[in-house]
Amino acid sequence: MSSGKGAGDENFPVGSLLISRRLRPHVHAYYDFARVIDDIVDTDRLSAEAKIARLDAMEDVVLGRRQAPLRRDAQTAVRVGRTLAATGVPVTTATDLIVAFRRDAVKSRYESWEELVAYCRYSANPVGRFLLLLHGEDAASLPLSDALCTSLQVLNHLQDCASDLRVLDRCYLPLPWLAREGAVLEDLGACRASPGLRRVFDALLDRVDELNAEAARLPSLVRDRRMRLESAVIVGLARRLAARLRREDPLAGRVKLTRGDVAGAVLGALRVLP
């Protein structure tokens, strides 16, 4: 359960040792595909039109509508297509990611919380759905997984708000929220958050806390013991990162989890699991 960011950007790596050895290759195939299509949309060497064309081609390969070229990145679409065919996990768990990245190619500003949540529905939620369905979990667990994945994506946006604007000219903070607090986009270029920007961060974290409270019920619905532990650990990590972002300033330096946070989340998960 995570967003489709590169490995170095992940707070909660996909395919941890908690996932069974039998399923791990499928998880890695999915993750490699997600990372490649994310790299396509984030490069500064392609126009928006070229990015969309590349993403369309990757989708065609996943769906079996065209043969992939021999390039290593294109072969990730072949492998994820084979994984989905072999496991019976819906192909939308891969193609929905492409919907989000097409959006990133042309959209760089957000006007509301609802618009941001709609983006997360494609950019993050498919990852949790893939993991749960790969483990044969019931559909009743999916809305709680969506809450967790949306929380993780918003937390990542808060961590990277300065670099997203500086490097990608992309801002996921709702613009009317900035205006309401007397903040402007240029505030993200400062070395520390202005009072108004801090209030926007905290307002987003209020929404994240609501999502995490909802997601806390997820482990109790997961039948697979390994996946239950994985989901409980990630819920704990999401809560700990949200708390860090309350206390620390993402403009002053990247706010990230510590080894102590990870150990605490694991111990917390072990205490609550049957």
PDB file of all heavy atoms in Angstrom, residues 11-44:
ATOM      1  N   ASN A  11       8.030   5.895   1.596  1.00  0.00           N
ATOM      2  CA  ASN A  11       8.012   5.739   3.044  1.00  0.00           C
ATOM      3  C   ASN A  11       7.692   4.303   3.423  1.00  0.00           C
ATOM      4  O   ASN A  11       8.134   3.791   4.434  1.00  0.00           O
ATOM      5  CB  ASN A  11       6.938   6.642   3.653  1.00  0.00           C
ATOM      6  CG  ASN A  11       7.323   8.089   3.567  1.00  0.00           C
ATOM      7  OD1 ASN A  11       8.387   8.475   4.006  1.00  0.00           O
ATOM      8  ND2 ASN A  11       6.463   8.899   2.991  1.00  0.00           N
ATOM      9  N   PHE A  12       6.892   3.641   2.601  1.00  0.00           N
ATOM     10  CA  PHE A  12       6.352   2.331   2.932  1.00  0.00           C
ATOM     11  C   PHE A  12       6.597   1.411   1.745  1.00  0.00           C
ATOM     12  O   PHE A  12       5.732   1.230   0.910  1.00  0.00           O
ATOM     13  CB  PHE A  12       4.860   2.446   3.235  1.00  0.00           C
ATOM     14  CG  PHE A  12       4.534   3.656   4.071  1.00  0.00           C
ATOM     15  CD1 PHE A  12       3.899   4.750   3.521  1.00  0.00           C
ATOM     16  CD2 PHE A  12       4.898   3.696   5.398  1.00  0.00           C
ATOM     17  CE1 PHE A  12       3.614   5.864   4.295  1.00  0.00           C
ATOM     18  CE2 PHE A  12       4.617   4.821   6.172  1.00  0.00           C
ATOM     19  CZ  PHE A  12       3.980   5.901   5.616  1.00  0.00           C
ATOM     20  N   PRO A  13       7.784   0.828   1.634  1.00  0.00           N
ATOM     21  CA  PRO A  13       8.131   0.075   0.433  1.00  0.00           C
ATOM     22  C   PRO A  13       7.186  -1.074   0.157  1.00  0.00           C
ATOM     23  O   PRO A  13       6.784  -1.807   1.062  1.00  0.00           O
ATOM     24  CB  PRO A  13       9.538  -0.448   0.740  1.00  0.00           C
ATOM     25  CG  PRO A  13      10.062   0.473   1.784  1.00  0.00           C
ATOM     26  CD  PRO A  13       8.879   0.890   2.591  1.00  0.00           C
ATOM     27  N   VAL A  14       6.839  -1.225  -1.113  1.00  0.00           N
ATOM     28  CA  VAL A  14       5.995  -2.321  -1.550  1.00  0.00           C
ATOM     29  C   VAL A  14       6.841  -3.592  -1.597  1.00  0.00           C
ATOM     30  O   VAL A  14       8.010  -3.568  -1.948  1.00  0.00           O
ATOM     31  CB  VAL A  14       5.412  -2.008  -2.935  1.00  0.00           C
ATOM     32  CG1 VAL A  14       4.657  -3.208  -3.484  1.00  0.00           C
ATOM     33  CG2 VAL A  14       4.513  -0.795  -2.877  1.00  0.00           C
ATOM     34  N   GLY A  15       6.252  -4.724  -1.288  1.00  0.00           N
ATOM     35  CA  GLY A  15       6.961  -5.984  -1.430  1.00  0.00           C
ATOM     36  C   GLY A  15       7.902  -6.285  -0.290  1.00  0.00           C
ATOM     37  O   GLY A  15       8.970  -6.867  -0.478  1.00  0.00           O
ATOM     38  N   SER A  16       7.552  -5.885   0.923  1.00  0.00           N
ATOM     39  CA  SER A  16       8.425  -6.120   2.070  1.00  0.00           C
ATOM     40  C   SER A  16       8.485  -7.611   2.373  1.00  0.00           C
ATOM     41  O   SER A  16       7.766  -8.435   1.810  1.00  0.00           O
ATOM     42  CB  SER A  16       7.901  -5.370   3.295  1.00  0.00           C
ATOM     43  OG  SER A  16       6.830  -6.081   3.886  1.00  0.00           O
ATOM     44  N   LEU A  17       9.361  -7.957   3.322  1.00  0.00           N
ATOM     45  CA  LEU A  17       9.533  -9.354   3.700  1.00  0.00           C
ATOM     46  C   LEU A  17       8.280  -9.941   4.338  1.00  0.00           C
ATOM     47  O   LEU A  17       8.189 -11.157   4.500  1.00  0.00           O
ATOM     48  CB  LEU A  17      10.726  -9.489   4.645  1.00  0.00           C
ATOM     49  CG  LEU A  17      12.086  -9.174   4.012  1.00  0.00           C
ATOM     50  CD1 LEU A  17      13.176  -9.250   5.066  1.00  0.00           C
ATOM     51  CD2 LEU A  17      12.389 -10.106   2.853  1.00  0.00           C
ATOM     52  N   LEU A  18       7.320  -9.097   4.707  1.00  0.00           N
ATOM     53  CA  LEU A  18       6.072  -9.622   5.258  1.00  0.00           C
ATOM     54  C   LEU A  18       5.222 -10.296   4.197  1.00  0.00           C
ATOM     55  O   LEU A  18       4.333 -11.091   4.513  1.00  0.00           O
ATOM     56  CB  LEU A  18       5.276  -8.488   5.923  1.00  0.00           C
ATOM     57  CG  LEU A  18       5.900  -7.887   7.184  1.00  0.00           C
ATOM     58  CD1 LEU A  18       5.091  -6.695   7.659  1.00  0.00           C
ATOM     59  CD2 LEU A  18       6.011  -8.932   8.279  1.00  0.00           C
ATOM     60  N   ILE A  19       5.468  -9.978   2.930  1.00  0.00           N
ATOM     61  CA  ILE A  19       4.711 -10.591   1.836  1.00  0.00           C
ATOM     62  C   ILE A  19       5.360 -11.935   1.495  1.00  0.00           C
ATOM     63  O   ILE A  19       6.588 -12.060   1.448  1.00  0.00           O
ATOM     64  CB  ILE A  19       4.667  -9.661   0.622  1.00  0.00           C
ATOM     65  CG1 ILE A  19       3.811  -8.432   0.973  1.00  0.00           C
ATOM     66  CG2 ILE A  19       4.109 -10.363  -0.602  1.00  0.00           C
ATOM     67  CD1 ILE A  19       3.784  -7.366  -0.086  1.00  0.00           C
ATOM     68  N   SER A  20       4.541 -12.946   1.257  1.00  0.00           N
ATOM     69  CA  SER A  20       5.065 -14.294   1.048  1.00  0.00           C
ATOM     70  C   SER A  20       5.989 -14.361  -0.159  1.00  0.00           C
ATOM     71  O   SER A  20       5.817 -13.626  -1.141  1.00  0.00           O
ATOM     72  CB  SER A  20       3.914 -15.285   0.881  1.00  0.00           C
ATOM     73  OG  SER A  20       3.297 -15.113  -0.381  1.00  0.00           O
ATOM     74  N   ARG A  21       6.963 -15.248  -0.086  1.00  0.00           N
ATOM     75  CA  ARG A  21       7.927 -15.435  -1.169  1.00  0.00           C
ATOM     76  C   ARG A  21       7.214 -15.771  -2.482  1.00  0.00           C
ATOM     77  O   ARG A  21       7.644 -15.372  -3.565  1.00  0.00           O
ATOM     78  CB  ARG A  21       8.915 -16.535  -0.792  1.00  0.00           C
ATOM     79  CG  ARG A  21      10.079 -16.685  -1.753  1.00  0.00           C
ATOM     80  CD  ARG A  21      10.940 -17.861  -1.346  1.00  0.00           C
ATOM     81  NE  ARG A  21      11.477 -17.695  -0.003  1.00  0.00           N
ATOM     82  CZ  ARG A  21      12.633 -17.087   0.261  1.00  0.00           C
ATOM     83  NH1 ARG A  21      13.345 -16.579  -0.731  1.00  0.00           N
ATOM     84  NH2 ARG A  21      13.051 -16.982   1.501  1.00  0.00           N
ATOM     85  N   ARG A  22       6.119 -16.514  -2.398  1.00  0.00           N
ATOM     86  CA  ARG A  22       5.378 -16.918  -3.596  1.00  0.00           C
ATOM     87  C   ARG A  22       4.796 -15.720  -4.343  1.00  0.00           C
ATOM     88  O   ARG A  22       4.776 -15.696  -5.579  1.00  0.00           O
ATOM     89  CB  ARG A  22       4.248 -17.876  -3.175  1.00  0.00           C
ATOM     90  CG  ARG A  22       3.318 -18.299  -4.305  1.00  0.00           C
ATOM     91  CD  ARG A  22       2.258 -19.254  -3.766  1.00  0.00           C
ATOM     92  NE  ARG A  22       1.409 -18.620  -2.777  1.00  0.00           N
ATOM     93  CZ  ARG A  22       0.313 -17.932  -3.078  1.00  0.00           C
ATOM     94  NH1 ARG A  22      -0.052 -17.741  -4.340  1.00  0.00           N
ATOM     95  NH2 ARG A  22      -0.423 -17.400  -2.110  1.00  0.00           N
ATOM     96  N   LEU A  23       4.350 -14.707  -3.598  1.00  0.00           N
ATOM     97  CA  LEU A  23       3.693 -13.561  -4.227  1.00  0.00           C
ATOM     98  C   LEU A  23       4.639 -12.405  -4.518  1.00  0.00           C
ATOM     99  O   LEU A  23       4.300 -11.509  -5.291  1.00  0.00           O
ATOM    100  CB  LEU A  23       2.550 -13.066  -3.328  1.00  0.00           C
ATOM    101  CG  LEU A  23       1.393 -14.047  -3.119  1.00  0.00           C
ATOM    102  CD1 LEU A  23       0.354 -13.448  -2.184  1.00  0.00           C
ATOM    103  CD2 LEU A  23       0.746 -14.424  -4.450  1.00  0.00           C
ATOM    104  N   ARG A  24       5.811 -12.438  -3.907  1.00  0.00           N
ATOM    105  CA  ARG A  24       6.724 -11.302  -4.031  1.00  0.00           C
ATOM    106  C   ARG A  24       7.079 -10.958  -5.485  1.00  0.00           C
ATOM    107  O   ARG A  24       7.136  -9.779  -5.842  1.00  0.00           O
ATOM    108  CB  ARG A  24       7.974 -11.551  -3.196  1.00  0.00           C
ATOM    109  CG  ARG A  24       8.356 -10.370  -2.313  1.00  0.00           C
ATOM    110  CD  ARG A  24       9.491 -10.741  -1.388  1.00  0.00           C
ATOM    111  NE  ARG A  24       9.040 -11.572  -0.285  1.00  0.00           N
ATOM    112  CZ  ARG A  24       9.830 -12.294   0.476  1.00  0.00           C
ATOM    113  NH1 ARG A  24      11.132 -12.318   0.247  1.00  0.00           N
ATOM    114  NH2 ARG A  24       9.341 -13.005   1.474  1.00  0.00           N
ATOM    115  N   PRO A  25       7.333 -11.952  -6.371  1.00  0.00           N
ATOM    116  CA  PRO A  25       7.646 -11.593  -7.763  1.00  0.00           C
ATOM    117  C   PRO A  25       6.538 -10.799  -8.446  1.00  0.00           C
ATOM    118  O   PRO A  25       6.806  -9.889  -9.240  1.00  0.00           O
ATOM    119  CB  PRO A  25       7.863 -12.948  -8.444  1.00  0.00           C
ATOM    120  CG  PRO A  25       8.263 -13.871  -7.337  1.00  0.00           C
ATOM    121  CD  PRO A  25       7.481 -13.406  -6.145  1.00  0.00           C
ATOM    122  N   HIS A  26       5.277 -11.131  -8.139  1.00  0.00           N
ATOM    123  CA  HIS A  26       4.153 -10.378  -8.714  1.00  0.00           C
ATOM    124  C   HIS A  26       4.143  -8.941  -8.196  1.00  0.00           C
ATOM    125  O   HIS A  26       3.872  -7.997  -8.939  1.00  0.00           O
ATOM    126  CB  HIS A  26       2.828 -11.061  -8.367  1.00  0.00           C
ATOM    127  CG  HIS A  26       2.660 -12.408  -8.978  1.00  0.00           C
ATOM    128  ND1 HIS A  26       2.811 -12.649 -10.318  1.00  0.00           N
ATOM    129  CD2 HIS A  26       2.349 -13.609  -8.411  1.00  0.00           C
ATOM    130  CE1 HIS A  26       2.586 -13.928 -10.577  1.00  0.00           C
ATOM    131  NE2 HIS A  26       2.317 -14.528  -9.427  1.00  0.00           N
ATOM    132  N   VAL A  27       4.440  -8.774  -6.916  1.00  0.00           N
ATOM    133  CA  VAL A  27       4.467  -7.438  -6.319  1.00  0.00           C
ATOM    134  C   VAL A  27       5.590  -6.613  -6.942  1.00  0.00           C
ATOM    135  O   VAL A  27       5.408  -5.436  -7.284  1.00  0.00           O
ATOM    136  CB  VAL A  27       4.615  -7.522  -4.787  1.00  0.00           C
ATOM    137  CG1 VAL A  27       4.761  -6.131  -4.180  1.00  0.00           C
ATOM    138  CG2 VAL A  27       3.407  -8.232  -4.181  1.00  0.00           C
ATOM    139  N   HIS A  28       6.748  -7.222  -7.138  1.00  0.00           N
ATOM    140  CA  HIS A  28       7.863  -6.493  -7.741  1.00  0.00           C
ATOM    141  C   HIS A  28       7.575  -6.121  -9.194  1.00  0.00           C
ATOM    142  O   HIS A  28       7.964  -5.048  -9.651  1.00  0.00           O
ATOM    143  CB  HIS A  28       9.148  -7.309  -7.634  1.00  0.00           C
ATOM    144  CG  HIS A  28       9.675  -7.426  -6.235  1.00  0.00           C
ATOM    145  ND1 HIS A  28       9.791  -6.342  -5.391  1.00  0.00           N
ATOM    146  CD2 HIS A  28      10.099  -8.500  -5.516  1.00  0.00           C
ATOM    147  CE1 HIS A  28      10.275  -6.734  -4.222  1.00  0.00           C
ATOM    148  NE2 HIS A  28      10.460  -8.040  -4.271  1.00  0.00           N
ATOM    149  N   ALA A  29       6.893  -7.007  -9.924  1.00  0.00           N
ATOM    150  CA  ALA A  29       6.522  -6.691 -11.308  1.00  0.00           C
ATOM    151  C   ALA A  29       5.603  -5.474 -11.349  1.00  0.00           C
ATOM    152  O   ALA A  29       5.763  -4.576 -12.193  1.00  0.00           O
ATOM    153  CB  ALA A  29       5.846  -7.896 -11.960  1.00  0.00           C
ATOM    154  N   TYR A  30       4.656  -5.429 -10.432  1.00  0.00           N
ATOM    155  CA  TYR A  30       3.727  -4.304 -10.370  1.00  0.00           C
ATOM    156  C   TYR A  30       4.452  -3.023  -9.989  1.00  0.00           C
ATOM    157  O   TYR A  30       4.249  -1.960 -10.585  1.00  0.00           O
ATOM    158  CB  TYR A  30       2.627  -4.623  -9.361  1.00  0.00           C
ATOM    159  CG  TYR A  30       1.554  -3.574  -9.242  1.00  0.00           C
ATOM    160  CD1 TYR A  30       0.466  -3.568 -10.100  1.00  0.00           C
ATOM    161  CD2 TYR A  30       1.614  -2.590  -8.258  1.00  0.00           C
ATOM    162  CE1 TYR A  30      -0.542  -2.620  -9.986  1.00  0.00           C
ATOM    163  CE2 TYR A  30       0.628  -1.640  -8.133  1.00  0.00           C
ATOM    164  CZ  TYR A  30      -0.444  -1.655  -8.997  1.00  0.00           C
ATOM    165  OH  TYR A  30      -1.422  -0.696  -8.883  1.00  0.00           O
ATOM    166  N   TYR A  31       5.316  -3.123  -8.988  1.00  0.00           N
ATOM    167  CA  TYR A  31       6.036  -1.949  -8.512  1.00  0.00           C
ATOM    168  C   TYR A  31       6.970  -1.390  -9.581  1.00  0.00           C
ATOM    169  O   TYR A  31       7.069  -0.183  -9.771  1.00  0.00           O
ATOM    170  CB  TYR A  31       6.822  -2.320  -7.256  1.00  0.00           C
ATOM    171  CG  TYR A  31       7.606  -1.176  -6.675  1.00  0.00           C
ATOM    172  CD1 TYR A  31       6.951  -0.097  -6.095  1.00  0.00           C
ATOM    173  CD2 TYR A  31       8.990  -1.182  -6.698  1.00  0.00           C
ATOM    174  CE1 TYR A  31       7.669   0.958  -5.557  1.00  0.00           C
ATOM    175  CE2 TYR A  31       9.712  -0.132  -6.161  1.00  0.00           C
ATOM    176  CZ  TYR A  31       9.043   0.938  -5.592  1.00  0.00           C
ATOM    177  OH  TYR A  31       9.753   1.977  -5.067  1.00  0.00           O
ATOM    178  N   ASP A  32       7.678  -2.277 -10.303  1.00  0.00           N
ATOM    179  CA  ASP A  32       8.574  -1.817 -11.367  1.00  0.00           C
ATOM    180  C   ASP A  32       7.800  -1.072 -12.450  1.00  0.00           C
ATOM    181  O   ASP A  32       8.255  -0.049 -12.963  1.00  0.00           O
ATOM    182  CB  ASP A  32       9.317  -3.003 -11.986  1.00  0.00           C
ATOM    183  CG  ASP A  32      10.357  -3.600 -11.051  1.00  0.00           C
ATOM    184  OD1 ASP A  32      10.721  -2.936 -10.058  1.00  0.00           O
ATOM    185  OD2 ASP A  32      10.799  -4.743 -11.314  1.00  0.00           O
ATOM    186  N   PHE A  33       6.629  -1.584 -12.801  1.00  0.00           N
ATOM    187  CA  PHE A  33       5.786  -0.926 -13.787  1.00  0.00           C
ATOM    188  C   PHE A  33       5.364   0.459 -13.289  1.00  0.00           C
ATOM    189  O   PHE A  33       5.448   1.453 -14.027  1.00  0.00           O
ATOM    190  CB  PHE A  33       4.553  -1.790 -14.062  1.00  0.00           C
ATOM    191  CG  PHE A  33       3.478  -1.117 -14.864  1.00  0.00           C
ATOM    192  CD1 PHE A  33       3.615  -0.937 -16.227  1.00  0.00           C
ATOM    193  CD2 PHE A  33       2.315  -0.666 -14.236  1.00  0.00           C
ATOM    194  CE1 PHE A  33       2.616  -0.312 -16.964  1.00  0.00           C
ATOM    195  CE2 PHE A  33       1.318  -0.043 -14.970  1.00  0.00           C
ATOM    196  CZ  PHE A  33       1.464   0.137 -16.340  1.00  0.00           C
ATOM    197  N   ALA A  34       4.929   0.542 -12.027  1.00  0.00           N
ATOM    198  CA  ALA A  34       4.493   1.826 -11.475  1.00  0.00           C
ATOM    199  C   ALA A  34       5.626   2.838 -11.481  1.00  0.00           C
ATOM    200  O   ALA A  34       5.426   4.016 -11.794  1.00  0.00           O
ATOM    201  CB  ALA A  34       3.957   1.624 -10.057  1.00  0.00           C
ATOM    202  N   ARG A  35       6.824   2.386 -11.158  1.00  0.00           N
ATOM    203  CA  ARG A  35       7.955   3.302 -11.106  1.00  0.00           C
ATOM    204  C   ARG A  35       8.311   3.816 -12.501  1.00  0.00           C
ATOM    205  O   ARG A  35       8.619   4.994 -12.682  1.00  0.00           O
ATOM    206  CB  ARG A  35       9.170   2.625 -10.469  1.00  0.00           C
ATOM    207  CG  ARG A  35      10.362   3.550 -10.343  1.00  0.00           C
ATOM    208  CD  ARG A  35      11.409   3.014  -9.401  1.00  0.00           C
ATOM    209  NE  ARG A  35      11.926   1.723  -9.832  1.00  0.00           N
ATOM    210  CZ  ARG A  35      12.851   1.044  -9.146  1.00  0.00           C
ATOM    211  NH1 ARG A  35      13.309   1.522  -8.005  1.00  0.00           N
ATOM    212  NH2 ARG A  35      13.293  -0.106  -9.591  1.00  0.00           N
ATOM    213  N   VAL A  36       8.239   2.935 -13.505  1.00  0.00           N
ATOM    214  CA  VAL A  36       8.570   3.347 -14.876  1.00  0.00           C
ATOM    215  C   VAL A  36       7.581   4.383 -15.389  1.00  0.00           C
ATOM    216  O   VAL A  36       7.977   5.402 -15.969  1.00  0.00           O
ATOM    217  CB  VAL A  36       8.620   2.115 -15.805  1.00  0.00           C
ATOM    218  CG1 VAL A  36       8.552   2.535 -17.272  1.00  0.00           C
ATOM    219  CG2 VAL A  36       9.899   1.324 -15.558  1.00  0.00           C
ATOM    220  N   ILE A  37       6.282   4.160 -15.199  1.00  0.00           N
ATOM    221  CA  ILE A  37       5.329   5.128 -15.733  1.00  0.00           C
ATOM    222  C   ILE A  37       5.384   6.441 -14.949  1.00  0.00           C
ATOM    223  O   ILE A  37       5.125   7.514 -15.508  1.00  0.00           O
ATOM    224  CB  ILE A  37       3.889   4.560 -15.800  1.00  0.00           C
ATOM    225  CG1 ILE A  37       3.378   4.118 -14.430  1.00  0.00           C
ATOM    226  CG2 ILE A  37       3.827   3.410 -16.799  1.00  0.00           C
ATOM    227  CD1 ILE A  37       1.937   3.631 -14.442  1.00  0.00           C
ATOM    228  N   ASP A  38       5.735   6.376 -13.668  1.00  0.00           N
ATOM    229  CA  ASP A  38       5.948   7.598 -12.898  1.00  0.00           C
ATOM    230  C   ASP A  38       7.142   8.371 -13.454  1.00  0.00           C
ATOM    231  O   ASP A  38       7.108   9.593 -13.589  1.00  0.00           O
ATOM    232  CB  ASP A  38       6.176   7.234 -11.429  1.00  0.00           C
ATOM    233  CG  ASP A  38       6.107   8.429 -10.501  1.00  0.00           C
ATOM    234  OD1 ASP A  38       5.462   9.432 -10.864  1.00  0.00           O
ATOM    235  OD2 ASP A  38       6.688   8.359  -9.415  1.00  0.00           O
ATOM    236  N   ASP A  39       8.211   7.655 -13.787  1.00  0.00           N
ATOM    237  CA  ASP A  39       9.392   8.307 -14.361  1.00  0.00           C
ATOM    238  C   ASP A  39       9.067   8.964 -15.701  1.00  0.00           C
ATOM    239  O   ASP A  39       9.603  10.029 -16.031  1.00  0.00           O
ATOM    240  CB  ASP A  39      10.529   7.294 -14.545  1.00  0.00           C
ATOM    241  CG  ASP A  39      11.159   6.870 -13.228  1.00  0.00           C
ATOM    242  OD1 ASP A  39      10.942   7.560 -12.208  1.00  0.00           O
ATOM    243  OD2 ASP A  39      11.869   5.843 -13.215  1.00  0.00           O
ATOM    244  N   ILE A  40       8.194   8.334 -16.486  1.00  0.00           N
ATOM    245  CA  ILE A  40       7.821   8.905 -17.781  1.00  0.00           C
ATOM    246  C   ILE A  40       7.198  10.278 -17.592  1.00  0.00           C
ATOM    247  O   ILE A  40       7.544  11.245 -18.276  1.00  0.00           O
ATOM    248  CB  ILE A  40       6.840   7.970 -18.522  1.00  0.00           C
ATOM    249  CG1 ILE A  40       7.561   6.716 -19.032  1.00  0.00           C
ATOM    250  CG2 ILE A  40       6.168   8.702 -19.701  1.00  0.00           C
ATOM    251  CD1 ILE A  40       6.633   5.645 -19.587  1.00  0.00           C
ATOM    252  N   VAL A  41       6.277  10.389 -16.638  1.00  0.00           N
ATOM    253  CA  VAL A  41       5.558  11.653 -16.495  1.00  0.00           C
ATOM    254  C   VAL A  41       6.398  12.711 -15.788  1.00  0.00           C
ATOM    255  O   VAL A  41       6.158  13.921 -15.957  1.00  0.00           O
ATOM    256  CB  VAL A  41       4.213  11.431 -15.781  1.00  0.00           C
ATOM    257  CG1 VAL A  41       4.375  11.291 -14.276  1.00  0.00           C
ATOM    258  CG2 VAL A  41       3.226  12.546 -16.107  1.00  0.00           C
ATOM    259  N   ASP A  42       7.402  12.283 -15.020  1.00  0.00           N
ATOM    260  CA  ASP A  42       8.201  13.253 -14.265  1.00  0.00           C
ATOM    261  C   ASP A  42       9.446  13.741 -15.008  1.00  0.00           C
ATOM    262  O   ASP A  42      10.112  14.658 -14.529  1.00  0.00           O
ATOM    263  CB  ASP A  42       8.620  12.655 -12.915  1.00  0.00           C
ATOM    264  CG  ASP A  42       7.488  12.682 -11.899  1.00  0.00           C
ATOM    265  OD1 ASP A  42       6.440  13.283 -12.197  1.00  0.00           O
ATOM    266  OD2 ASP A  42       7.657  12.086 -10.818  1.00  0.00           O
ATOM    267  N   THR A  43       9.761  13.162 -16.160  1.00  0.00           N
ATOM    268  CA  THR A  43      10.950  13.605 -16.875  1.00  0.00           C
ATOM    269  C   THR A  43      10.730  14.988 -17.490  1.00  0.00           C
ATOM    270  O   THR A  43       9.613  15.340 -17.861  1.00  0.00           O
ATOM    271  CB  THR A  43      11.328  12.606 -17.990  1.00  0.00           C
ATOM    272  OG1 THR A  43      12.527  13.058 -18.627  1.00  0.00           O
ATOM    273  CG2 THR A  43      10.228  12.503 -19.043  1.00  0.00           C
ATOM    274  N   ASP A  44      11.819  15.755 -17.583  1.00  0.00           N
ATOM    275  CA  ASP A  44      11.733  17.062 -18.231  1.00  0.00           C
ATOM    276  C   ASP A  44      12.205  16.993 -19.687  1.00  0.00           C
ATOM    277  O   ASP A  44      12.328  18.011 -20.347  1.00  0.00           O
ATOM    278  CB  ASP A  44      12.556  18.097 -17.461  1.00  0.00           C
ATOM    279  CG  ASP A  44      14.037  17.706 -17.357  1.00  0.00           C
ATOM    280  OD1 ASP A  44      14.425  16.652 -17.915  1.00  0.00           O
ATOM    281  OD2 ASP A  44      14.788  18.453 -16.714  1.00  0.00           O
TER     282      ASP A  44
END
